[in-house]
Amino acid sequence: MISTYLAPLDQVDEARTAHLAFVDELERAGVLVSAGRQTPPIGGILLLDVDSEARAHELLADDPYVRQGLAEYAATGWQPTRGVLADWKSPAA
């Protein structure tokens, strides 16, 4: 999921602590593979292990950035075939 900020960065940063706590919850739930802010900071990327785009959007509806209208997410499917994630398996599998 690729996010795009819809508000100035200072407004986004005011909600960053709550957003990062939300990302921590995704990690504890076993659906987050990796995450980080884009450079330059125009949004972020959350690599999720979910079965569908609908599930990804369902999960991210609770993101404080989304709830506060600070960011929106677009889904981009991806199947790694090379590199460190090529053989990655979900810990829940």
Side-chain angles (χ1 to χ4, degrees), residues 13 15 17-19 21-22 28 40 44 48-50 58-59 61 65 80 89:
D13 283 346
T17 299
H19 166 74
F22 170 78
R28 280 191 293 278
L48 303 176
D49 181 25
V50 294
E58 179 183 303
L59 287 168
Y65 284 175
K89 301 289 184 231

Side-chain angles (χ1 to χ4, degrees), residues 1 3 5 16 19 23 32 34-38 43-47:
M1 300 296 284
S3 70
Y5 296 149
R16 188 164 170 80
H19 166 74
V23 172
L32 180 72
S34 189
R37 189 177 255 183
Q38 296 178 53
I45 297 175
L46 295 174
L47 184 57

Side-chain angles (χ1 to χ4, degrees), residues 6-69:
L6 302 174
L9 190 57
D10 61 331
Q11 290 179 21
V12 172
D13 283 346
E14 288 176 12
R16 188 164 170 80
T17 299
H19 166 74
L20 293 175
F22 170 78
V23 172
D24 286 344
E25 290 176 24
L26 293 176
E27 188 169 19
R28 280 191 293 278
V31 296
L32 180 72
V33 177
S34 189
R37 189 177 255 183
Q38 296 178 53
T39 303
I42 59 169
I45 297 175
L46 295 174
L47 184 57
L48 303 176
D49 181 25
V50 294
D51 293 333
S52 68
E53 180 179 333
R55 178 65 179 142
H57 282 290
E58 179 183 303
L59 287 168
L60 295 179
D62 287 331
D63 184 339
Y65 284 175
V66 172
R67 287 193 328 246
Q68 295 178 38

